[in-house]
Amino acid sequence: MEFIETIGKLVVRYHSFFEEGIVNTLIIAAFTVFFGTIFGTLMSSMRMSKILPLKWLAVAYIEFIRGTPLMVQLMFIFYGLPMVGFTLPDISWIPNFSRFSAGIIAMSINSCAYVAEIIRSGVQAVDVGQMEAARSVGFSHGQAMRLVVLPQAIKNILPALGNEFVTVIKESSIVSVIGLADLMFRTNDVIALTYKSLACLAIAALCYFAMTFTGGRLIDLAERKMNHGK
């Protein structure tokens, strides 16, 4: 009971810290999913391309990114690139823009590789006869892919993309290591002020759960509506 009271007092007193962390976490996750989906779609197209250099490049990228830790990728972008003369810009009217951009770039690069494989598996799950039928009525390969195959593939990959969004929310906690004020970073700030480690971490866990649970339910709702529209 005392533990719950402690959590309540911390939420009331330091709610602004947690609110800022939640907002920044959702911003990072939203941009990561947006860019990861766009570039993941491009990478999956290269992965399935009949042009061998493009296919090999996509395979190399996907295998390398999936085979290395996100922490290493983040550190390389934020600390490594400036060492070779590439510095992420700062924008005066956006606080910590260089840290935000480094976190979003690293997580988007990582998410892109996983999304590419999700999309590839979804496309390959569509019956090959769909592509043949579209080509037989005069569609080009690109038109058939865009207008016939991809709409059907989306229904297959939506649950996996939803899981990727939930994963991104949880993995975004790693950006705290570069000083980006996400939920985990702000939780550590409260811990430093109050020395209530367990209670603060419990609040952070509840916040992450609320975000991932809500995101998962929204994805389930979208999936049910798409299936209902068949």
Side-chain angles (χ1 to χ4, degrees):
M1 192 65 180
E2 182 181 348
F3 181 68
I4 296 176
E5 290 178 358
T6 301
I7 290 177
K9 291 177 181 179
L10 289 173
V11 170
V12 171
R13 185 169 183 179
Y14 297 101
H15 64 90
S16 61
F17 285 71
F18 295 109
E19 288 171 1
E20 181 187 358
I22 290 171
V23 169
N24 288 338
T25 294
L26 291 176
I27 290 172
I28 294 167
F31 276 105
T32 297
V33 171
F34 177 74
F35 290 119
T37 301
I38 290 176
F39 292 111
T41 302
L42 176 62
M43 196 60 61
S44 69
S45 299
M46 293 171 59
R47 176 75 170 78
M48 294 182 289
S49 174
K50 295 181 180 179
I51 303 174
L52 291 183
L54 291 179
K55 183 175 182 177
W56 294 336
L57 179 63
V59 169
Y61 173 88
I62 291 170
E63 293 301 324
F64 179 80
I65 294 299
R66 293 176 69 188
T68 54
L70 176 56
M71 173 73 82
V72 174
Q73 297 161 16
L74 177 63
M75 292 295 187
F76 178 81
I77 290 173
F78 187 71
Y79 294 112
L81 291 183
M83 293 180 183
V84 295
F86 186 85
T87 304
L88 294 171
D90 266 318
I91 297 178
S92 59
W93 48 274
I94 301 180
N96 293 319
F97 180 78
S98 62
R99 298 179 190 275
F100 261 107
S101 56
I104 290 170
I105 290 171
M107 294 198 64
S108 297
I109 287 173
N110 185 272
S111 180
C112 170
Y114 290 92
V115 171
E117 288 297 277
I118 290 171
I119 293 175
R120 182 177 69 89
S121 63
V123 169
Q124 291 180 341
V126 176
D127 193 291
V128 68
Q130 298 292 318
M131 172 64 78
E132 295 172 353
R135 295 300 301 275
S136 69
V137 297
F139 284 8
S140 67
H141 184 275
Q143 289 174 324
M145 182 65 71
R146 186 175 68 256
L147 300 175
V148 177
V149 177
L150 280 179
Q152 297 181 63
I154 288 174
K155 295 180 180 180
N156 297 330
I157 67 178
L158 190 59
L161 285 178
N163 290 335
E164 177 65 13
F165 176 67
V166 169
T167 299
V168 165
I169 291 176
K170 292 185 292 184
E171 289 186 344
S172 66
S173 62
I174 202 170
V175 301
S176 63
V177 302
I178 61 171
L180 189 52
D182 72 321
L183 177 56
M184 201 63 228
F185 185 90
R186 283 309 184 202
T187 299
N188 288 329
D189 284 344
V190 179
I191 290 174
L193 292 170
T194 63
Y195 302 102
K196 304 289 186 179
S197 301
L198 186 59
C200 291
L201 291 173
I203 295 170
L206 291 172
C207 291
Y208 277 115
F209 174 76
M211 288 187 286
T212 56
F213 182 81
T214 302
R217 298 294 74 74
L218 290 175
I219 293 296
D220 288 344
L221 179 62
E223 184 183 358
R224 285 198 298 270
K225 285 189 174 182
M226 291 187 69
N227 291 333
H228 184 69
K230 285 184 178 180

